[in-house]
Amino acid sequence: MHLLSFAQILPCDLRDNLLNEPRRGQLLEVILDLGRFPEARYLGEFGGCYLRNTKVSVKELEHAQNSVGSFGGDNRAGIEGTLHRISAIRSRKGAIVGLTCRVGRAVSGQVDMVSDLLQYGKSILFVGKPGVGKTTVMREIARVLADEFHKRVVIVDTSNEIGGDGNIPHSAIGGARRMQVPEPSMQHRVMIEAVENHMPEVIIVDEIGTEAETHACRSIAKRGVMLIGTAHGERLQNIIKNPTLSDLVGGVETVTLGDGEARARSCQKTVLERQASPTFDFLIEMRDRHYWVTHQTEKSVDMLLRGKNPQVEVRRRDKMFKVVIEKSKAYDKCDS
């Protein structure tokens, strides 16, 4: 049972409570903060619930720390052979004073939301709030592209989140290859190394967040490699307005129009326009696990910069969990 190895890092009383908890299948994460009550959070529920009425001790945090692999420069560690992720909060002196223990699951059946898009071989960027399932989707797309589409897939796995901890990647990624990243700041270098050394047809990268990584993405896309990535932000507008990430959707520049052009467009003389073609052809906003808004990046960015409302495609599951695709829906009419 995948929860067993997760439970091993927890104090004994919490371990037994969680393994006997009817909602254990929905467990999202366990929070252990020094001097506070331990807390569990479940999928689909707001807030958390306390697991006992005694506070977390230094000894319990030390036990958890010794049970997992060493923490990287991003203060994340994993449990070998699993997809679980342990993230640390440290004091100013470097001691661990809090842990977020997140359950990693190899969930299948998500990829049918985008299987038609994968056939085009175009690059796709996923955005959405934390916990909406972006990494889970990356994992399954990697497996499907490698095993069903027979593509050469390389995952650049910065925190070992997609392929799990340890030197042998988790079976959830199928035949995709995984490159580990020594330090988070080196992610962009490993992305370029993957292309130059291993001849991939697809590169998968989680959490694109720095200028160097956005430049690496553009460089990779220009070489004709399909990119599947995630970025921080809930909506397309967040990416457009983020100076670090806007290059992923083409970048934004200020243009001064001539009098005639400004009159013809019925707008001011200074306008914002897309600078270049987007690195990612499609952008998918994961509003929740079963409601995705799909943009054709170029068209949507141009419309939004002109203050207009783009047409998008909504992908959602109905009550029978079948995928329903609504084409040409007005963007402002999508559920928030």
Side-chain angles (χ1 to χ4, degrees), residues 238-294:
N238 301 141
I239 306 296
I240 294 171
K241 289 173 184 171
N242 183 329
T244 310
L245 299 178
S246 68
D247 190 52
L248 299 174
V249 296
V252 179
E253 63 184 354
T254 306
V255 176
T256 305
L257 304 174
D259 294 339
E261 180 69 12
R263 267 197 303 275
R265 290 200 198 182
S266 313
C267 67
Q268 298 172 323
K269 286 188 71 171
T270 307
V271 294
L272 294 175
E273 287 199 347
R274 183 169 46 81
Q275 204 166 5
S277 53
T279 302
F280 289 90
D281 306 277
F282 296 104
L283 183 142
I284 295 178
E285 298 175 6
M286 294 175 68
R287 300 279 178 96
D288 69 37
R289 282 170 190 265
H290 306 304
Y291 191 97
W292 299 3
V293 175
T294 310

Side-chain angles (χ1 to χ4, degrees), residues 30-163:
V30 173
I31 310 290
L32 301 176
D33 282 339
L34 183 62
R36 290 184 171 182
F37 301 132
E39 193 179 341
R41 294 176 184 164
Y42 294 91
L43 281 171
E45 292 183 21
F46 290 106
C49 57
Y50 292 128
L51 292 169
R52 66 173 191 210
N53 55 9
T54 52
K55 294 173 181 175
V56 174
S57 67
V58 173
K59 202 170 179 182
E60 288 172 331
L61 284 177
E62 282 173 357
H63 165 76
Q65 189 180 347
N66 295 333
S67 304
V68 300
S70 57
F71 286 88
D74 54 358
N75 277 315
R76 290 178 178 179
I79 300 169
E80 191 158 342
T82 74
L83 301 170
H84 308 311
R85 184 182 90 195
I86 318 301
S87 304
I89 296 175
R90 294 182 186 271
S91 69
R92 289 180 67 183
K93 293 180 179 172
I96 291 179
V97 293
L99 292 172
T100 303
C101 311
R102 192 159 197 182
V103 178
R105 293 182 175 88
V107 181
S108 57
Q110 289 281 68
V111 82
D112 57 351
M113 296 273 272
V114 285
S115 47
D116 58 319
L117 290 185
L118 295 179
Q119 292 170 9
Y120 297 132
K122 301 283 189 189
S123 296
I124 306 172
L125 181 68
F126 290 84
V127 298
K129 58 182 183 285
V132 82
K134 296 188 294 295
T135 305
T136 305
V137 171
M138 295 286 103
R139 207 176 284 132
E140 201 181 359
I141 287 176
R143 180 184 60 76
V144 168
L145 287 173
D147 295 358
E148 294 175 23
F149 287 76
H150 307 294
K151 300 261 190 199
R152 293 189 301 276
V153 180
V154 173
I155 299 166
V156 177
D157 204 1
T158 304
S159 303
N160 283 358
E161 235 183 301
I162 299 178

Side-chain angles (χ1 to χ4, degrees), residues 130-205:
V132 82
K134 296 188 294 295
T135 305
T136 305
V137 171
M138 295 286 103
R139 207 176 284 132
E140 201 181 359
I141 287 176
R143 180 184 60 76
V144 168
L145 287 173
D147 295 358
E148 294 175 23
F149 287 76
H150 307 294
K151 300 261 190 199
R152 293 189 301 276
V153 180
V154 173
I155 299 166
V156 177
D157 204 1
T158 304
S159 303
N160 283 358
E161 235 183 301
I162 299 178
D165 218 43
N167 290 333
I168 300 170
H170 195 279
S171 58
I173 66 168
R177 300 177 78 190
R178 187 262 292 271
M179 289 182 72
Q180 297 187 45
V181 181
E183 280 293 318
S185 59
M186 290 174 67
Q187 177 166 291
H188 65 287
R189 285 193 207 166
V190 179
M191 289 163 68
I192 298 295
E193 185 189 319
V195 177
E196 291 176 347
N197 291 358
H198 304 291
M199 291 176 58
E201 294 169 289
V202 183
I203 286 220
I204 292 184
V205 58

